[in-house]
């Protein structure tokens, strides 16, 4: 006969423990669903997918909205696409270098996509000035070298 003071005395301890464990498992919060990898490995470096995707989309979207620069009017469609690809590669290099904040990546991508052509123009003008100065120094040095040899 079963008494009222011990209603579960007929059950084994394992059954009660199993019941309590299943209730505890049901009450615990579930892990968030995984939608794919958060990062991939590229050439041994970790590439965060969300900043890389947002950076790529940011460059492409701002290149689409940006006014066409004077330099770009002389370029073919393939040249403009190549320029956009270089900008996307610069964004991916930024993400590979360790920038993991998506908002910062979107901001840099917007700036690069909108005024990246002016940046490339500035860099190209600096390289051209440096190259012409180097050529001038070498030509002056060669001229003075050969003029000194002729005097002796």
């Amino acid at each position: 006969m079963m008494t009222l003071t011990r209603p579960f005395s007929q059950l084994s301890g394992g059954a009660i423990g199993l019941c309590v464990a299943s209730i505890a498992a049901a009450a615990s919060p579930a892990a968030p669903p995984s939608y794919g990898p958060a990062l991939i490995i590229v050439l041994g470096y970790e590439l965060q997918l969300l900043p890389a995707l947002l950076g790529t989309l940011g460059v492409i979207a701002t290149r689409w909205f940006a006014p066409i620069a004077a330099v770009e009017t002389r370029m073919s469609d393939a040249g403009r696409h190549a320029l956009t690809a270089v900008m996307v590669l610069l964004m991916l290099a930024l993400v590979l270098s360790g920038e993991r904040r998506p908002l910062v990546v979107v901001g840099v991508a917007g700036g690069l996509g909108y005024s990246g052509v002016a940046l490339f123009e500035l860099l190209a003008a600096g390289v051209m000035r440096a190259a012409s100065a180097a050529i001038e120094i070498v030509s002056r040095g060669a001229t003075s070298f050969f003029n000194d040899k002729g005097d002796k």
Side-chain angles (χ1 to χ4, degrees):
M1 184 168 126
M2 195 168 165
T3 63
L4 292 175
T5 57
R6 298 184 57 170
F8 297 111
S9 64
Q10 302 297 322
L11 297 173
S12 66
I16 294 174
L18 182 63
C19 179
V20 171
S22 66
I23 290 172
S28 66
S34 176
Y35 298 110
L39 59 96
I40 57 174
I41 307 297
V42 176
L43 300 173
Y45 296 99
E46 293 180 352
L47 178 67
Q48 296 287 328
L49 288 182
L50 182 63
L53 180 66
L54 290 176
T56 301
L57 291 175
V59 167
I60 291 171
T62 53
R63 289 282 295 148
W64 188 45
F65 288 119
I68 295 177
V71 174
E72 285 185 283
T73 58
R74 297 188 300 262
M75 296 172 73
S76 65
D77 285 340
R80 283 193 292 275
H81 294 314
L83 186 62
T84 303
V86 168
M87 290 180 191
V88 167
L89 288 176
L90 285 174
M91 280 310 309
L92 293 177
L94 175 72
V95 174
L96 279 174
S97 70
E99 184 56 58
R100 303 199 189 295
R101 297 171 292 178
L103 190 59
V104 172
V105 172
V106 168
V108 172
L112 185 62
Y114 197 80
S115 60
V117 176
L119 175 68
F120 286 134
E121 276 185 285
L122 182 68
L123 291 174
V127 168
M128 291 300 290
R129 279 194 306 269
S132 65
I135 290 171
E136 184 180 334
I137 289 170
V138 168
S139 66
R140 250 190 296 163
T143 304
S144 66
F145 176 76
F146 287 117
N147 286 342
D148 291 342
K149 290 289 184 179
D151 291 340
K152 292 184 181 179

